[in-house]
């Protein structure tokens, strides 16, 4: 996706050879027009899937997901990282973050994930794949089906795609695939 | 806003005479079409303001804000509740939550809030007004101007509006004003 690739190269920065900072347009300050372009690209790439719900994780997954849900006329559910006192019956899965060296929980109310759901999971980053793994577990608990997973940016060198594929996800789309941040130079693969 | 009022009455629930649960369409499962309608109503009500940035708080403020930012062609910044290790220079304010009986911090990078900014703050709920108060503090630290504050739902009996007015905010718009949850019956004021 050329517009995204160009934007990452112009407004993204790499730190310490491993971190890709995109807080100017994706995960702190957000460019809503880019989010709409991202949503349209997801629609194009997943045009063969039949889904009835968009699933994401707070907070940075919400912007692309709400745009996608709006354009596809689908409800969007975001997994919460804290268990609200008012949520009685919930599915819960644990995510280990290598970046933050800590465990967090992802929580979805049983009301909003059911065996009838065919889910498209959307998130800003595919890194080690641990958020996606937790989403798969939540969907298994609920009896829902994960039809596909879409990410704005994939850090290929962290092998999250292989983890998700090993868990049975066959449709994974990343709109920009970063294959190196060595010497703090951002290298993005050409579109296939 | 009749469509919002009707939706709260049909899909919202009141618990313990104080809690208004709207996780079916606003803050867990989200209805993107309603979020667009909400954004258009904010545009109508704030049509006299000149703003260059939408400010919100993760996570439930993001959906209406990104829709509003898209329609108004403005960037959206969400205040974070955790300080990312990669964010060097930040403005920080503390929010006391009466509901959760705990303090959290709101954090905005100095890069994305400056003296040039004329801000419209958007959030899902106006309750005690403490998130709004923290946003005012963050804007004061940055030298930015808060031009107005818009909320999807106001719980009038918690007097957040008075707090924000006492801090100098003259333009506050709430799209549905709940004035009683007694006996777990949701009562919403008629539009003026």
């Amino acid at each position: 996706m050329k517009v995204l690739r160009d934007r990452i190269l112009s407004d993204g920065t790499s730190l310490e050879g491993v971190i890709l900072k995109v807080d100017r347009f994706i995960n702190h300050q957000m460019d809503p027009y880019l989010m709409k372009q991202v949503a349209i690209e997801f629609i194009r790439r997943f045009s063969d899937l039949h889904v009835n719900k968009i699933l994401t994780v707070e907070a940075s997954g919400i912007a692309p997901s709400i745009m996608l849900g709006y354009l596809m006329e689908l409800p969007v559910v975001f997994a919460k990282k804290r268990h609200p006192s008012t949520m009685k019956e919930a599915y819960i899965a644990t995510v280990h973050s290598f970046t933050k060296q800590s465990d967090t929980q992802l929580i979805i109310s049983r009301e909003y994930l059911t065996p009838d759901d065919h889910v498209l999971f959307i998130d800003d980053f595919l890194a080690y794949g641990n958020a996606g793994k937790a989403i798969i577990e939540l969907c298994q608990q609920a009896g829902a089906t994960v039809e596909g997973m879409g990410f704005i940016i994939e850090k290929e060198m962290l092998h999250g795609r292989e983890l998700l594929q090993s868990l049975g996800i066959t449709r994974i789309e990343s709109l920009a695939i970063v294959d190196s941040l060595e010497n703090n130079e951002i290298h993005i693969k050409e579109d296939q």
Side-chain angles (χ1 to χ4, degrees), chain A:
Chain A
M1 190 183 170
K2 186 172 186 309
V3 65
L4 175 64
R5 177 194 163 82
D6 291 348
R7 189 65 173 274
I8 295 168
L9 294 175
S10 67
D11 283 359
T13 49
S14 177
L15 305 173
E16 300 159 30
V18 287
I19 294 163
L20 177 59
K21 201 158 172 263
V22 289
D23 67 356
R24 186 177 297 274
F25 56 107
I26 292 180
N27 54 19
H28 183 25
Q29 182 166 255
M30 302 179 291
D31 175 346
Y33 186 73
L34 180 68
M35 292 300 115
K36 192 212 67 169
Q37 292 174 301
V38 157
I40 287 174
E41 182 65 13
F42 281 134
I43 292 171
R44 201 180 67 77
R45 296 202 188 191
F46 290 117
S47 61
D48 57 312
L49 296 189
H50 294 278
V51 303
N52 70 321
K53 191 167 279 179
I54 310 295
L55 209 59
T56 188
V57 175
E58 63 174 336
S60 304
I62 294 176
S65 296
I66 200 83
M67 282 292 177
L68 185 58
Y70 177 72
L71 294 169
M72 294 181 76
E73 301 184 2
L74 294 177
V76 179
V77 173
F78 67 89
K80 293 182 177 253
K81 292 178 179 171
R82 293 184 217 193
H83 197 144
S85 57
T86 56
M87 192 193 292
K88 300 301 178 203
E89 303 275 326
Y91 301 113
I92 300 173
T94 300
V95 186
H96 182 70
S97 167
F98 285 97
T99 319
K100 297 174 190 156
Q101 279 300 331
S102 63
D103 284 350
T104 52
Q105 291 190 317
L106 292 192
I107 298 143
I108 294 182
S109 166
R110 290 185 183 225
E111 285 186 81
Y112 308 125
L113 195 60
T114 76
D116 294 331
D117 284 327
H118 293 259
V119 160
L120 177 57
F121 173 64
I122 297 293
D123 208 356
D124 57 342
F125 270 99
L126 171 56
Y128 296 97
N130 288 306
K133 178 168 178 277
I135 288 291
I136 294 167
E137 289 170 17
L138 292 169
C139 288
Q140 283 170 341
Q141 291 174 36
T145 308
V146 181
E147 297 290 348
M149 294 193 160
F151 303 93
I152 303 178
I153 302 172
E154 174 176 347
K155 290 159 95 174
E156 193 185 51
M157 56 285 195
L158 302 182
H159 303 291
R161 181 181 288 260
E162 285 94 317
L163 175 64
L164 299 177
Q165 284 170 335
S166 76
L167 297 168
I169 307 299
T170 53
R171 291 299 309 280
I172 300 169
E173 295 285 347
S174 302
L175 307 190
I177 300 179
V178 175
D179 59 4
S180 167
L181 295 169
E182 275 177 38
N183 305 317
N184 293 333
E185 282 170 26
I186 302 168
H187 189 264
I188 304 174
K189 291 172 94 167
E190 295 289 337
D191 284 347
Q192 304 301 309

